[in-house]
Amino acid sequence: MTAEVSQKLRSDASDNRARILAVARAAFAAEGLGVPIREIARRAQVGAATVYRHFPTKEALLGEVFAEPMALCSAVVEEGLAQADPWQGFCLVIEKLMEAHALDGGLGGAFTSRLPYFTADRDRAIRLLLQLVRRAKEAGGLRADFVLEDFVLTMMANDGIRAESPELRVAASRRFAALMIQSFRADPVLAPLPPAVRLLSVVQ
């Protein structure tokens, strides 16, 4: 095999891998984690065997797809912990993670999954979040009966937002985040909400 042919084969394999990842990322974001490997292969215009050559299992593919988003989760919680006011840090985390989730529909499933490929990143993010929750409660901003499951429920509800474009999903998610933050506050203050987003066609 000549060096030129070998280089082309490596280039083709690299292109296939990048295309598989791009397709998988888009599919999982739009449709959740249940999209099968054969469908990923079809959309990437490769055979299922090609997908499995690069990613021996679906879990391996998911781990690669969500490595960056899971690292983002940890970074966002770290940013929240760095805030001088723990309550403001908590609000920042809710707002940023819900917005990221609105753009990436698979992130919620990845966050609550026990798949080993991103369990370490997920567990780190949760440990940091629990630390922030404790500080926000001690500072008097976060209601004392808030538990981690309330955050999970919020993310699950956020996953149900349906809109005609990513921009509208984000706008709707921001308003929902504002509503949830008000409900989490120890002493609720009715601050103005972000603009509402029309999600239903209603006959007046």
Side-chain angles (χ1 to χ4, degrees):
M1 182 182 294
T2 67
E4 182 177 349
V5 171
S6 178
Q7 177 61 35
K8 185 175 187 311
L9 289 174
R10 285 197 298 271
S11 177
D12 288 346
S14 178
D15 289 347
N16 284 341
R17 179 184 174 84
R19 190 162 64 254
I20 291 165
L21 281 172
V23 166
R25 188 171 290 114
F28 294 144
E31 304 165 44
L33 307 187
V35 182
I37 286 290
R38 287 192 176 278
E39 180 59 19
I40 298 293
R42 185 188 69 78
R43 297 182 192 183
Q45 298 181 326
V46 298
T50 299
V51 177
Y52 283 117
R53 256 198 312 276
H54 292 284
F55 308 99
T57 65
K58 185 176 181 180
E59 287 76 14
L61 176 59
L62 286 165
E64 188 77 17
V65 165
F66 288 106
E68 186 175 337
M70 291 307 298
L72 170 66
C73 286
S74 293
V76 167
V77 181
E78 286 178 344
E79 185 181 353
L81 278 167
Q83 301 299 306
D85 182 341
W87 167 249
Q88 292 302 320
F90 176 82
C91 294
L92 178 148
V93 168
I94 294 293
E95 291 166 351
K96 288 199 169 186
L97 288 186
M98 287 179 68
E99 181 171 334
H101 187 206
L103 291 171
D104 188 342
L107 184 56
F111 197 89
T112 57
S113 172
R114 296 303 302 178
L115 291 173
Y117 289 88
F118 38 72
T119 294
D121 285 334
R122 195 283 311 276
D123 287 353
R124 180 172 181 274
I126 288 177
R127 286 195 300 271
L128 293 172
L129 181 59
L130 287 172
Q131 186 178 348
L132 179 58
V133 165
R134 177 180 55 79
R135 291 184 185 179
K137 287 182 179 181
E138 290 173 352
L142 179 62
R143 57 190 298 163
D145 57 355
F146 177 90
V147 293
L148 184 63
E149 286 73 17
D150 296 324
F151 169 77
V152 175
L153 284 172
T154 300
M155 293 288 284
M156 291 171 67
N158 195 58
D159 191 38
I161 293 175
R162 298 292 180 265
E164 294 178 355
S165 70
E167 292 77 16
L168 288 177
R169 280 200 306 276
V170 167
S173 181
R174 285 174 179 159
R175 184 176 173 90
F176 181 49
L179 284 166
M180 295 309 301
I181 285 170
Q182 287 189 11
S183 73
F184 293 150
R185 189 166 186 153
D187 184 17
V189 176
L190 297 181
L193 295 173
V197 177
R198 182 177 291 278
L199 300 175
L200 296 173
S201 296
V202 180
V203 177
Q204 299 294 335

